[in-house]
Amino acid sequence: LMIYLTLFLAHQIVRPLNRFVEYTRRIARGDFSPIQPAKRYKDEFSRLAIAINWMLDQLQKNQELYIQSRKMAAIGTLTSGIAHELNNPLNNICITTESLLDELEDLPENEKKKRLQDIYAQAERASGTVRNLLDFTRVDQPSFVHVSVHELLSSALRLTKHEMELSNVELKYLPAESGLLVQGDFGQLQQVFLNLIINAIQAMPRGGVLSISVGKEDPDQVRIDIADTGVGIPQAVISDIFDPFFTTKEKGTGLGLSISYSIIRKHGGKILVNSQINHGSTFSVYLAKSSGKRRPE
Ligand code: ADP
């Protein structure tokens, strides 16, 4: 009878415990729906269930508050960024036009031409900002073709070779196999790798090593790591770097990473970042591997 009683009691305790283990897994997956006490009468487990439900309620409220405050912060950065990016060239246009009008009679022809060129350059700069913004929000699908990963990386490296030399950056790149393909828009993907490589170079103002590696352990996707040995990203801002107009650079636009993020998302991939202050950062781009056969329409 004692053995039976012990087994019965152990069963009564272990079964609800297992249920609670399952609940914790569900909560960890982000499902905050309340848990139901299994028995109608009250015991320690139903009190625990009530306490967990209260905790879930608080967690959900805090998460909503957090998401809302992140959205507000992103809108704030976006608005002040647009205002700043457009205000600067517009101000310059106003000042130059004003001076041109004031001194129109007295200025020599070449000075008039120079000021008009300044106005044109500033207008171009403003329209570049608007173009970037449109690129960022554009919903149209990229035109997918089979893109060779090696071609993509080597073309981005060719375009940044000069900056690398100027900044004393050593490149370590083991060329990806020529047959390694992804489905994508060559121009847009090239823009992503250009942004990542330029950011990496700029993170190493006193030189360093830029390592580019291509991982293909996964049969379905390619992982491209762009790693630098630069200044690193402070933990406090790492969640902001993909926000439009977030920049820590004096002449930065803060658009490179947000545009890259949206391009990679449109390609069904993802970008992850790992960084250690004063040791460097690694940006990992994941893209679906292409078999080289045409995709069914
Ligand atoms: P920008 O380069 O114009 O500032 P980005 O959107 O490309 O805009 O980058 C946003 C910010 O992210 C940068 O200002 C910088 O603070 C940070 N960042 C991006 N890449 C790196 C990197 N490789 N190392 C350190 N910080 C980086």
Side-chain angles (χ1 to χ4, degrees), residues 199-200 203 228 232-233 241 246-249 252-257 281 283:
N199 277 345
D228 62 65
I233 305 165
I241 59 169
F246 174 85
T247 182
T248 54
K249 298 172 193 167
T253 61
L255 287 172
L257 283 183
S281 316
F283 285 79

Side-chain angles (χ1 to χ4, degrees), residues 206-240:
R206 278 180 296 280
V209 181
L210 169 70
S211 313
I212 301 188
S213 56
V214 182
K216 43 190 189 325
E217 318 67 59
D218 190 320
D220 301 321
Q221 57 178 5
V222 182
R223 168 183 165 168
I224 300 150
D225 283 344
I226 313 281
D228 62 65
T229 54
V231 290
I233 305 165
Q235 210 50 41
V237 301
I238 207 156
S239 56
D240 301 328

